[in-house]
């Protein structure tokens, strides 16, 4: 069993309920991971993902090895048949096979390059390990998805919803750097599995996400209109998907402010973190009682623990 995408979740409702049970007693299955090893490979930096996944594995009794592959590992070649006379020192064939000997589960974090859309959509790093590893692979954020974050988001909304059919808004906000579409992509896919929520995506024209992911999700280009009567506001930046990886809009009017939040139904504010204050959101909002970003980050442990637990149980 691999966990690569939100699409690997058969029943989101059941998974969320299971995660909430784990949260109440996180050490219940401490023996499940005894003598098992999680190897975490980071091709990009991390805070919440690294610590929460490591804690989740520890809660299950697993041994954990962490490698910052981008700075500590050999540069990898992913193309079959490549003549390796350039920068790459090791082929993914050997690397994945070798790491598999040390691991019972391999977890990987590798961001989009935001230069070559086709290459990013092909998920070169994750796909290479999926092809050549002999143990389960977990996605800790790839070029196009961050499923464990979105599972944590679903857990958080379940804990904080106050009515049967809340309105959830994913809003774009400005950022000084080009950011991938991974988090919003997985959030959209997760929301499409929610049958009891109204979902709206709002962003400037031209900032549409991959239409193969958004499908028939509602898009509203007027942020104020989208915010009306919302129960959850999830703010996130992403770079342009059509003009791939570029920043084509930096309009500060899209920053989530207290005035914007007044349009909502006393909405909870969400963000995956790290967040740029006064770019994505103002202090008034993120420091308010309605901000649930810290609880959201805490739930990363239980989304990761559920994923690891299911893989371990599947391998029995």
């Amino acid at each position: 069993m691999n966990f690569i995408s939100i699409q690997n979740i058969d029943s989101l409702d059941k998974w969320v309920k299971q995660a909430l049970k784990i949260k109440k007693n996180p050490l219940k299955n401490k023996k499940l991971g005894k003598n098992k090893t999680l190897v975490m490979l980071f091709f990009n930096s991390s805070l919440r993902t690294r610590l929460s996944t490591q804690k989740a594995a520890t809660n299950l009794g697993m041994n954990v090895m962490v490698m910052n592959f981008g700075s500590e590992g050999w540069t990898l070649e992913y193309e079959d048949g490549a003549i390796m006379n350039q920068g790459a020192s090791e082929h993914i064939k050997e690397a994945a096979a070798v790491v598999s000997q040390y691991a019972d589960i391999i977890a990987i974090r590798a961001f989009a390059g935001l230069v070559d859309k086709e290459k990013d959509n092909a998920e070169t790093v994750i796909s290479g390990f999926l092809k050549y590893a002999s143990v389960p692979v977990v996605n800790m954020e790839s070029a196009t998805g961050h499923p464990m974050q979105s599972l944590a988001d679903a857990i958080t909304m379940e804990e904080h919803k106050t009515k049967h059919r809340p309105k959830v808004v994913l809003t774009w906000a400005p950022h000084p750097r080009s950011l991938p579409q991974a988090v919003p992509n997985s959030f959209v896919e997760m929301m499409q599995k929610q049958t009891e929520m109204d979902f709206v995506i709002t962003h400037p024209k031209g900032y549409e996400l991959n239409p193969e992911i958004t499908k028939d999700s509602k898009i509203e280009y007027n942020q104020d209109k989208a915010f009306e009567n919302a129960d959850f506001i999830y703010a996130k930046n992403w770079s342009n998907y059509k003009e791939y990886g570029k920043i084509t809009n930096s309009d500060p009017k899209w920053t989530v402010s207290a005035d914007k939040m007044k349009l909502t139904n006393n909405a909870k504010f969400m963000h995956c973190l790290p967040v740029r204050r006064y770019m994505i959101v103002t202090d008034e909002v993120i420091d308010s009682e309605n901000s649930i970003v810290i609880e959201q980050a805490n739930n990363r442990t239980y989304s990761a623990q559920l994923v690891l637990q299911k893989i371990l149980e599947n391998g029995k």
Side-chain angles (χ1 to χ4, degrees), residues 128-171:
F129 277 92
L130 282 171
K131 186 175 181 179
Y132 295 112
S134 57
V135 298
V137 175
V138 171
N139 180 357
M140 296 191 296
E141 187 172 357
S142 65
T144 65
H146 197 348
M148 285 205 294
Q149 174 65 57
S150 292
L151 178 55
D153 298 336
I155 296 164
T156 307
M157 287 190 292
E158 179 63 26
E159 289 180 303
H160 287 275
K161 70 180 183 181
T162 57
K163 64 183 186 183
H164 176 63
R165 194 175 183 86
K167 179 181 178 182
V168 180
V169 178
L170 171 65
T171 181

Side-chain angles (χ1 to χ4, degrees), residues 90-103 106 128-129 131-135:
E90 183 165 14
H91 202 280
I92 184 64
K93 289 183 179 181
E94 288 78 52
V98 167
V99 174
S100 296
Q101 295 178 114
Y102 310 144
I106 301 173
F129 277 92
K131 186 175 181 179
Y132 295 112
S134 57
V135 298

Side-chain angles (χ1 to χ4, degrees), residues 71-119:
S71 58
E72 298 172 346
W74 299 112
T75 304
L76 297 182
E77 174 61 61
Y78 296 92
E79 185 180 341
D80 288 343
I83 299 172
M84 292 174 60
N85 60 357
Q86 299 298 318
S89 302
E90 183 165 14
H91 202 280
I92 184 64
K93 289 183 179 181
E94 288 78 52
V98 167
V99 174
S100 296
Q101 295 178 114
Y102 310 144
D104 295 281
I105 302 173
I106 301 173
I108 300 167
R109 183 174 176 90
F111 293 171
L114 293 177
V115 175
D116 186 330
K117 184 194 292 188
E118 186 176 326
K119 182 179 179 180

Side-chain angles (χ1 to χ4, degrees), residues 107-293:
I108 300 167
R109 183 174 176 90
F111 293 171
L114 293 177
V115 175
D116 186 330
K117 184 194 292 188
E118 186 176 326
K119 182 179 179 180
D120 286 344
N121 283 343
E123 292 285 8
T124 305
V125 178
I126 288 279
S127 294
F129 277 92
L130 282 171
K131 186 175 181 179
Y132 295 112
S134 57
V135 298
V137 175
V138 171
N139 180 357
M140 296 191 296
E141 187 172 357
S142 65
T144 65
H146 197 348
M148 285 205 294
Q149 174 65 57
S150 292
L151 178 55
D153 298 336
I155 296 164
T156 307
M157 287 190 292
E158 179 63 26
E159 289 180 303
H160 287 275
K161 70 180 183 181
T162 57
K163 64 183 186 183
H164 176 63
R165 194 175 183 86
K167 179 181 178 182
V168 180
V169 178
L170 171 65
T171 181
W172 179 92
H175 198 284
R177 294 177 55 233
S178 292
L179 296 185
Q181 293 88 32
V183 170
N185 282 347
S186 287
F187 188 78
V188 170
E189 290 180 318
M190 181 271 291
M191 287 304 303
Q192 289 169 348
K193 288 180 173 286
Q194 298 275 12
T195 58
E196 299 299 334
M197 291 188 181
D198 291 323
F199 179 50
V200 180
I201 307 169
T202 185
H203 55 71
K205 288 186 178 180
Y207 265 78
E208 290 79 9
L209 293 162
N210 183 347
E212 293 182 9
I213 290 175
T214 54
K215 298 177 182 176
D216 58 353
S217 294
K218 182 179 179 180
I219 297 173
E220 173 57 64
Y221 297 111
N222 184 322
Q223 189 188 41
D224 287 355
K225 186 175 180 181
F227 273 41
E228 290 177 1
N229 298 315
D231 299 289
F232 293 94
I233 298 295
Y234 195 120
K236 186 70 182 80
N237 174 268
W238 57 88
S239 55
N240 198 304
Y241 184 73
K242 289 183 180 178
E243 296 182 54
Y244 193 64
K246 294 183 179 180
I247 298 173
T248 57
N249 192 318
S250 299
D251 188 352
K253 292 179 182 178
W254 282 82
T255 299
V256 180
S257 65
D259 285 341
K260 296 275 186 181
M261 293 297 285
K262 288 176 183 176
L263 300 170
T264 72
N265 182 31
N266 198 32
K268 301 296 185 183
F269 175 79
M270 300 177 70
H271 189 279
C272 61
L273 302 182
V275 66
R276 299 266 185 152
R277 288 172 179 251
Y278 289 99
M279 288 293 298
I280 299 289
V281 61
T282 64
D283 283 354
E284 289 176 285
V285 175
I286 196 169
D287 293 333
S288 73
E289 291 182 357
N290 279 21
S291 173
I292 55 176
V293 298

Side-chain angles (χ1 to χ4, degrees), residues 3-22:
F3 184 74
I4 306 302
S5 154
I6 283 292
Q7 305 308 333
N8 294 135
I9 296 176
D10 52 359
S11 170
L12 182 62
D13 181 60
K14 287 181 180 179
W15 279 49
V16 168
K17 288 177 180 176
Q18 288 171 334
L20 290 171
K21 283 185 179 180
I22 289 171

